[in-house]
Amino acid sequence: MNIESLISKAAQEAVKSLYGQDVPEKMVQLQKTRSEFEGNLTLVVFPFVKMARKSPEQTAQELGDYLVANCPAVEKFNVVKGFLNLSVGQGAWLQLLEAIDKDEKFGMKTANEDSPLVMIEYSSPNTNKPLHLGHVRNNLLGWSLAKILEANGNRVVKTNIVNDRGIHICKSMLAWLKWGNGETPESSGKKGDHLIGDYYVLFDKHYREEIKQLVAQGMDEEKAKQEAPLIKEAHEMLVKWEQGDAEVRALWEKMNNWVYAGFDETYKKMGVGFDKIYYESQTYLRGKSKVEEGLSKGLFFRKEDGSVWADLTDEGLDQKLLLRSDGTSVYMTQDIGTAEMRYEDYPIDKMIYVVGNEQNYHFQVLSILLDRLGFKWGRDLTHFSYGMVELPNGKMKSREGTVVDADDLMALMVEDAYKTSMELGKFADMTEEDRREIARIVGMGALKYFILKVDARKNMLFNPEESIDFNGNTGPFIQYTHARIRSILRKNEELRMKNEEFASGGDSSAAANSSLFTLHSSLEEKETELIQKMSEFTAAVEQAGKDYSPSGIANYCYELTKVFNQFYHDYSILNEPDEQKRNLRLVLARNVAKIIKNGMGLLGIKVPERM
């Protein structure tokens, strides 16, 4: 049990003992003491004033006296109006540090077979184009959310639904047939997803020219969009696909496989993956069947034109189309089919969809429909809604070829990290292979941290130049601090080995079993502050799990890093002459590095051993 929990429990006992009242834990409000006051933790007394029937100051005094007498963690206190500022004793801080030091996964829980099973869907790419900047934010959020929920003791299944059918796919296929001349990823030297994306853009270019010609001949623009020969051919191809035409299906499978190989390469570079991948081509018919089943049960209704709808007016919404009059499905139908397949595959307790905020209404409706269809998690599904991400030069449009490609962006970040590190002299005495690997870790860390530190619900502007900075609230700043600590620990180990060899005449085994770190030492203010900040990791992980907030973990890592750097600025570690103080500071440094590594790991960010 951490110090906050100990004091919280003791405060509940104090209220019971002094005022005869049982109070819930949530009523005990503990917060970090403000810097202008003495103390480590502050108890807000106002909720207990009515029970005490005394002034806030008198109530605080009584509670303070009780805690000093009955809670070993509390050494002394002072009262400021309705706030009880508590000073934690050094013994309690040292015990906490020892507990942190013994636990490699401090602050994180481990799931068991009875833990809730949470499924998270993210990525959801189309097979007519490569992944872009928007997908980067989606994938990073989904992966980090999975890690955070696992750290909160959940079993997690990471899934992806690939949009591999529809008119947009046929556009790329038709363009390749017309202008591809048999080009392949191998013959072109391009990744498969990039190659297919080029043909999607090419289709749009020719399609626009056809529209322009028809409009010049006097046709209305909207009609021209429908009558253009290319779009008609694409629709004909879609019909053939729906009918199972062997030639169209073979082409579709070949081109999709090119794209999947490209996606896999991008996911690997990004450091994300999935436990199960679903494909719309395998789920849309299931969705139609499920809707027809709901229709037979009276859950939905059919209009005169043969289309099938859900009436959601009793939920304060409108009527929602589920099947068109020609019997073809819509996105909602496909999502219902995918949900059924997932429920058969896994006994899900919770379903989370990581999808942009433009789909808020869609998931509001999907939740109601799944609930009506009998999925136990339907009503409680979570749409992890996030804002759009843009670059300084504006929005992206896939069909116009102005998209910010994920592969290009990651390559740019890694190259910028390499150049910046070289300019700052951080690559001295390294092989070129080590330089490239550290540049990859730092570049990807900069990209991930910059995106994940922002509240997911907000739109954001991603600036590559700002993200690679070894100062400030950036990934490289935190990574560099970790590398600095690891360097300190390596130097200490080298010194220890030399001293042991000298003391034993060259045989270091004599001291092999002696403990390097002893915790019997008085604590300086900054050391106490550092232990307190480390102890807050548990609460940060719990809160991030409750709020579905990777940004909470990112900001905690930054705050811990700042506190350590202030400590490191004020106190010497290796040059401290007092052995016990030096050992204590080494324990502090080692555990800061551990928590930084684990915390950044929840964001999918690696931290290098040296920089």
Side-chain angles (χ1 to χ4, degrees):
M1 187 178 289
N2 59 33
I3 286 172
E4 286 87 346
S5 298
L6 280 171
I7 294 176
S8 178
K9 192 172 186 301
Q12 288 175 279
E13 293 169 356
V15 174
K16 174 71 172 175
S17 176
L18 294 170
Y19 312 125
Q21 297 280 342
D22 288 308
V23 294
E25 188 178 353
K26 64 182 179 181
M27 193 182 248
V28 181
Q29 300 173 38
L30 275 176
Q31 52 196 234
K32 194 171 181 180
T33 303
R34 288 164 55 177
S35 57
E36 62 264 35
F37 300 116
E38 182 184 2
N40 306 112
L41 292 166
T42 296
L43 176 65
V44 181
V45 173
F46 295 109
F48 315 119
V49 170
K50 283 187 178 180
M51 301 174 191
R53 298 181 180 178
K54 295 174 182 174
S55 69
E57 291 84 355
Q58 289 175 306
T59 306
Q61 183 69 40
E62 289 183 348
L63 289 170
D65 287 336
Y66 182 95
L67 291 173
V68 168
N70 295 280
C71 181
V74 179
E75 185 176 63
K76 58 183 179 177
F77 69 91
N78 65 84
V79 176
V80 179
K81 297 182 180 178
F83 298 94
L84 176 59
N85 300 320
L86 305 170
S87 294
V88 176
Q90 290 203 357
W93 288 125
L94 290 171
Q95 283 181 355
L96 176 58
L97 176 59
E98 190 171 15
I100 293 171
D101 188 52
K102 288 178 179 177
D103 187 355
E104 279 303 306
K105 294 293 184 181
F106 170 74
M108 301 191 290
K109 299 173 185 173
T110 302
N112 58 50
E113 59 184 17
D114 296 322
S115 299
L117 180 62
V118 181
M119 181 176 283
I120 303 177
E121 175 197 290
Y122 57 97
S123 199
S124 308
N126 295 330
T127 56
N128 63 317
K129 56 189 176 184
L131 303 178
H132 56 63
L133 178 57
H135 288 114
V136 172
R137 190 179 198 191
N138 181 295
N139 280 279
L140 297 184
L141 286 170
W143 180 264
S144 179
L145 184 59
K147 291 296 178 187
I148 289 168
L149 291 179
E150 284 175 350
N152 276 280
N154 296 284
R155 293 177 296 147
V156 176
V157 178
K158 301 181 290 290
T159 65
N160 183 3
I161 175 69
V162 178
N163 304 304
D164 65 339
R165 61 171 290 277
I167 190 66
H168 51 297
I169 311 298
C170 292
K171 289 177 180 179
S172 296
M173 291 165 60
L174 183 60
W176 184 83
L177 280 177
K178 285 182 172 293
W179 303 294
N181 296 314
E183 186 178 29
T184 67
E186 290 74 24
S187 69
S188 65
K190 293 180 181 178
K191 284 175 77 239
D193 51 332
H194 287 236
L195 179 66
I196 300 308
D198 289 346
Y199 285 101
Y200 182 64
V201 172
L202 189 60
F203 177 94
D204 191 68
K205 176 185 174 184
H206 287 283
Y207 177 44
R208 285 169 178 268
E209 288 173 359
E210 289 185 349
I211 294 170
K212 190 175 179 181
Q213 290 171 7
L214 291 173
V215 169
Q217 294 168 14
M219 188 179 289
D220 173 76
E221 185 174 353
E222 285 305 311
K223 188 175 182 182
K225 289 179 181 178
Q226 298 172 10
E227 295 297 323
L230 266 178
I231 199 67
K232 283 189 168 184
E233 279 191 80
H235 276 291
E236 288 170 8
M237 180 177 279
L238 178 59
V239 171
K240 287 181 179 179
W241 185 93
E242 294 264 1
Q243 293 171 344
D245 181 277
E247 193 173 331
V248 171
R249 285 287 179 126
L251 175 63
W252 168 78
E253 191 170 323
K254 176 171 71 174
M255 294 178 69
N256 271 351
N257 283 335
W258 293 345
V259 175
Y260 298 146
F263 283 171
D264 288 345
E265 195 176 322
T266 304
Y267 289 138
K268 186 176 180 181
K269 287 179 184 174
M270 205 181 295
V272 303
F274 312 93
D275 300 307
K276 178 84 174 181
I277 298 179
Y278 294 89
Y279 300 89
E280 277 195 18
S281 58
Q282 298 169 355
T283 68
Y284 81 106
L285 291 175
R286 293 284 292 269
K288 288 175 67 173
S289 175
K290 200 69 182 171
V291 168
E292 287 162 359
E293 178 188 316
L295 180 66
S296 68
K297 293 179 179 178
L299 300 174
F300 311 130
F301 71 96
R302 192 186 298 276
K303 290 192 175 181
E304 290 182 3
D305 65 355
S307 58
V308 177
W309 296 71
D311 185 358
L312 305 176
T313 51
D314 60 339
E315 299 278 354
L317 303 174
D318 54 9
Q319 295 181 345
K320 180 66 182 176
L321 175 66
L322 299 180
L323 289 176
R324 298 186 185 95
S325 57
D326 61 3
T328 57
S329 62
V330 294
Y331 276 116
M332 189 66 70
T333 323
Q334 293 159 187
D335 275 348
I336 290 170
T338 308
E340 183 180 48
M341 288 184 71
R342 285 172 173 160
Y343 194 66
E344 289 175 359
D345 292 341
Y346 301 95
I348 304 167
D349 295 303
K350 182 77 176 175
M351 181 72 213
I352 301 173
Y353 295 86
V354 181
V355 182
N357 56 17
E358 75 278 8
Q359 294 293 329
N360 285 351
Y361 176 75
H362 175 89
F363 285 98
Q364 186 182 4
V365 172
L366 180 62
S367 174
I368 297 168
L369 295 179
L370 291 177
D371 181 62
R372 289 186 181 181
L373 288 166
F375 294 95
K376 67 175 185 178
W377 47 264
R379 181 65 74 166
D380 296 324
L381 73 78
T382 296
H383 172 207
F384 183 82
S385 174
Y386 64 90
M388 295 298 99
V389 55
E390 298 174 7
L391 286 173
N393 59 358
K395 293 184 178 181
M396 309 173 292
K397 295 181 180 178
S398 302
R399 62 181 177 274
E400 295 176 13
T402 59
V403 119
V404 180
D405 180 80
D407 292 312
D408 292 344
L409 178 62
M410 289 189 288
L412 171 68
M413 295 297 298
V414 172
E415 192 57 36
D416 283 355
Y418 182 89
K419 289 177 182 176
T420 302
S421 297
M422 287 291 284
E423 290 168 4
L424 295 174
K426 295 188 181 296
F427 280 162
D429 303 322
M430 286 190 196
T431 65
E432 182 62 15
E433 184 180 1
D434 286 344
R435 290 172 182 169
R436 289 294 173 186
E437 176 60 11
I438 290 173
R440 185 190 67 79
I441 292 172
V442 173
M444 290 305 298
L447 170 64
K448 293 179 179 184
Y449 187 85
F450 199 93
I451 286 177
L452 292 173
K453 74 177 181 179
V454 178
D455 183 343
R457 293 167 295 185
K458 297 179 180 178
N459 290 342
M460 69 169 292
L461 191 70
F462 176 69
N463 190 327
E465 293 179 6
E466 287 181 13
S467 68
I468 298 184
D469 190 337
F470 286 86
N471 296 295
N473 190 6
T474 66
F477 171 65
I478 298 169
Q479 289 173 315
Y480 181 65
T481 298
H482 177 271
R484 169 188 276 173
I485 294 172
R486 297 303 301 168
S487 174
I488 291 168
L489 296 175
R490 282 194 300 274
K491 286 177 183 175
N492 177 70
E493 185 65 15
E494 290 167 7
L495 289 170
R496 184 180 73 84
M497 295 296 289
K498 285 180 182 178
N499 290 337
E500 286 181 357
E501 285 183 21
F502 177 78
S504 60
D507 179 10
S508 62
S509 62
N513 295 321
S514 63
S515 175
L516 175 62
F517 303 116
T518 56
L519 300 181
H520 305 293
S521 178
S522 60
L523 290 169
E524 304 288 350
E525 181 184 350
K526 289 285 194 303
E527 293 169 339
T528 299
E529 187 180 352
L530 196 51
I531 297 171
Q532 185 169 5
K533 180 54 69 174
M534 282 193 282
S535 75
E536 292 169 10
F537 183 54
T538 301
V541 172
E542 287 179 358
Q543 198 60 48
K546 290 176 183 174
D547 297 342
Y548 300 147
S549 175
S551 64
I553 297 296
N555 291 319
Y556 169 82
C557 290
Y558 175 56
E559 291 298 323
L560 175 62
T561 301
K562 282 199 302 181
V563 173
F564 175 82
N565 280 301
Q566 187 60 57
F567 157 80
Y568 186 67
H569 177 269
D570 291 353
Y571 303 119
S572 173
I573 297 180
L574 293 181
N575 292 326
E576 168 56 52
D578 186 307
E579 183 180 6
Q580 288 190 343
K581 283 184 177 292
R582 183 170 65 251
N583 287 341
L584 173 69
R585 290 171 188 173
L586 286 163
V587 174
L588 286 168
R590 180 173 68 192
N591 284 283
V592 169
K594 175 180 74 181
I595 293 173
I596 286 175
K597 182 177 182 178
N598 290 342
M600 294 290 269
L602 296 180
L603 305 176
I605 298 174
K606 292 185 177 180
V607 285
E609 290 291 303
R610 57 182 300 204
M611 280 174 70

